[in-house]
Amino acid sequence: MLRSQLTDALKKAVLEKDAVSVTTVRLILAALKERDIAARGEGNTDGISDEEILTLLQAMVKQRRESIEMYTKGNRPELAAQEAAEIGVIERFLPKQMSDEEIEAAVKGVVTDLGATCLKDMGRTMAALREKYASCMDFGKAGSVAKKLLG
């Protein structure tokens, strides 16, 4: 389903002459094709699943956020703005992300459910969060919240 959304978005962006969307969606499709080829080597001829595509998109967003930070430190606001525009395009294909308050509530709930009490339980906590909220949670933020609660 995501594959067809991506190809439709590329067609639409080309017709609308939206250069940022065209280049960003092409980058996504190239990364997707690369993952599909790697999956074929493991015997998966259908390509990667939608869940794996979502993981890929989240990684792309994370990478661009790190780039924005570096460009900002390097006094390159035009490059940071370009990365931010790409994030906007990528996020169109991701489910709505949880707010900071929602992340905190979810982490507290999982910690309570697991009976986690110390940093040794961090791995179990994060695994449970990934299982429940795989496509809609920023796990960097969730990790820092969990560390505060368990530390």
Side-chain angles (χ1 to χ4, degrees), residues 13-135:
V14 168
L15 290 174
E16 292 176 354
K17 296 181 179 13
D18 181 356
V20 173
S21 293
V22 170
T23 56
T24 305
V25 174
R26 281 186 177 155
L27 282 170
I28 294 169
L29 289 171
L32 181 57
K33 188 166 194 94
E34 185 179 309
R35 294 272 176 98
D36 284 344
I37 290 169
R40 264 188 243 140
E42 299 167 4
N44 181 354
T45 56
D46 296 332
I48 63 175
S49 68
D50 276 358
E51 280 186 26
E52 291 172 296
I53 294 172
L54 289 174
T55 303
L56 169 73
L57 295 175
Q58 288 172 330
M60 292 177 87
V61 168
K62 181 180 178 187
Q63 183 181 35
R64 276 153 184 76
R65 285 197 174 119
E66 291 169 357
S67 295
I68 288 172
E69 191 176 312
M70 297 303 292
Y71 288 142
T72 303
K73 286 180 184 175
N75 199 23
R76 299 294 306 264
E78 70 283 356
L79 294 175
Q82 180 180 342
E83 295 288 328
E86 288 180 6
I87 287 174
V89 173
I90 295 168
E91 286 181 336
R92 284 190 228 156
F93 305 102
L94 289 170
K96 182 185 175 296
Q97 296 295 297
M98 297 173 81
S99 69
D100 291 346
E101 295 80 25
E102 292 170 326
I103 290 173
E104 192 168 333
V107 172
K108 284 179 182 176
V110 167
V111 166
T112 303
D113 291 347
L114 293 176
T117 57
C118 62
L119 280 177
K120 287 184 180 180
D121 297 322
M122 183 78 164
R124 281 188 321 138
T125 303
M126 293 306 291
L129 287 169
R130 285 188 200 288
E131 190 177 304
K132 279 186 170 179
Y133 306 103
S135 62

